[in-house]
Amino acid sequence: MTIKPTPSAAPVAPPLGRSPSKKLWMAAIKPPMYSVAVMPIVLGAALAFYQTRLFDPTRFWVFVLSAILILAWENLSNDVFDAATGIDSRKYHSVVNLTGNRALVFWIANLCLILGIAGIFSISVAQQDWTVLLLILGCCGLGYLYQGPPFRLGYLGLGEILCFFAFGPLAVEAAYYSQAQAFTVAASGTVMTAAVILGITTSLVLFCSHFHQVADDLAAGKRSPIVRLGTGRAARLLPWVCGVTFGLVILAIVLGWFPLWSLLMLGSLPAARALCRHAICYHDQPERVHNCKFIAIRFHFLSSVLLCVGLILGVA
Ligand SMILES: C/C(=C\COP(=O)(O)OP(=O)(O)O)CCC[C@H](C)CCC[C@H](C)CCCC(C)C
Ligand SMILES: O=C(O)C1=CC(=O)c2ccccc2C1=O
């Protein structure tokens, strides 16, 4: 299936036809979304502390800032690349539509990427070891494959898989290594299980972001998992996927990979239930389900924070 880029869609004026409102800019920047960049770093550092009692605050904060910059690149370049296919023609909070200047957004995105990678590079220089840089370059590569020409794998419905590996195993292992500077067999079960859990909850955010976009995605030839499954079947999948994350925590505790305190993560069960109920109730009502990804972010954030707290308490 080829996606024929259309001529750059003329910027769409905001609904009111006035200069973009603060609300549109907040929707464009979407601050809560950056939880998905921060939590892999927090989880990786918590895992390293649990395993090695090591924590370097300077490396941690440089990594967090770098991750935020890299995710800013991903989102800004997403608007740039999607402007070429016309899929965002009705996305009033696209930064390209808000500014009407695709080239400017493209170069700002690239600046964010360069600064983000420079931060990661400084960590690798400090460690005299390129492992962290290579892992994060791999994340960036997955990010480009998702939306960048000529790949646009997100249009084939592969975004959630790319998202899982980028924000799960790759980012968490990179954050872990930036602190522990070693991968041990003994730690691998703990680190990988936690990374898989975070990868799943992060992919859930992307999955849930598509519920209200079925019409636009279909029109642009984007066959997201929700376009492929249908909104009803997709919504009914959520309880199973959330259940897998809780099952993995219990399994890891039984296997001795997680401390008993990790049961704290079950505290995010209400957030998971809220997500599932919202999607199941409103899956075919775009005007009601459009905020589903932010409910997914609340589950993602709570579950990962509680898992980190459980790991740290498990040290004591
Ligand atoms: C931009 C992303 C999703 C939005 O896509 P969509 O086109 O549906 O958006 P709109 O509807 O708002 O137009 C995120 C896609 C994630 C991608 C699969 C993987 C990104 C990897 C990051 C670049 C890596 C960050 C690593 C960091 C945590 C160290
Ligand atoms: O704008 C969005 O819908 C998303 C942006 C983003 O950076 C991200 C990152 C990881 C998972 C999902 C998402 C989005 O849905």
Side-chain angles (χ1 to χ4, degrees), residues 112-187:
C112 290
L113 178 64
I114 290 166
L115 293 173
I117 290 178
I120 302 298
F121 179 79
S122 70
I123 293 172
S124 284
V125 168
Q127 289 189 313
Q128 288 300 298
D129 183 330
W130 302 115
T131 304
V132 172
L133 180 63
L134 292 174
L135 286 169
I136 296 305
L137 288 176
C139 292
C140 296
L142 295 183
Y144 186 81
L145 288 174
Y146 172 72
Q147 56 199 24
F151 310 101
R152 301 187 202 270
L153 297 186
Y155 282 66
L156 303 181
L158 300 176
E160 281 73 1
I161 297 171
L162 298 173
C163 190
F164 168 82
F165 285 103
F167 290 96
L170 284 178
V172 173
E173 294 279 4
Y176 176 87
Y177 197 89
S178 73
Q179 295 290 335
Q181 197 160 352
F183 292 133
T184 60
V185 173

Side-chain angles (χ1 to χ4, degrees), residues 30 36-37 40-41 63 67 70-71 73-75 78-79 82 88 91 93 136 139-140 142-143 146-147 159 162-163 166-167 171 206 209-210 213 222 293:
K30 48 201 169 195
V36 302
I41 315 325
F63 208 142
I70 293 169
L71 193 62
W73 160 73
E74 179 71 9
N75 278 280
N78 177 276
D79 286 348
D82 281 356
D88 281 356
K91 182 182 170 187
H93 60 284
I136 296 305
C139 292
C140 296
L142 295 183
Y146 172 72
Q147 56 199 24
L162 298 173
C163 190
F167 290 96
L206 182 61
S209 75
H210 299 313
Q213 298 176 325
K222 181 172 182 177
K293 69 182 174 187

Side-chain angles (χ1 to χ4, degrees), residues 262-279:
S262 306
L263 284 174
L264 272 178
M265 189 208 152
L266 299 186
S268 63
L269 262 168
R273 280 183 66 244
L275 172 64
C276 296
R277 287 168 60 182
H278 187 81

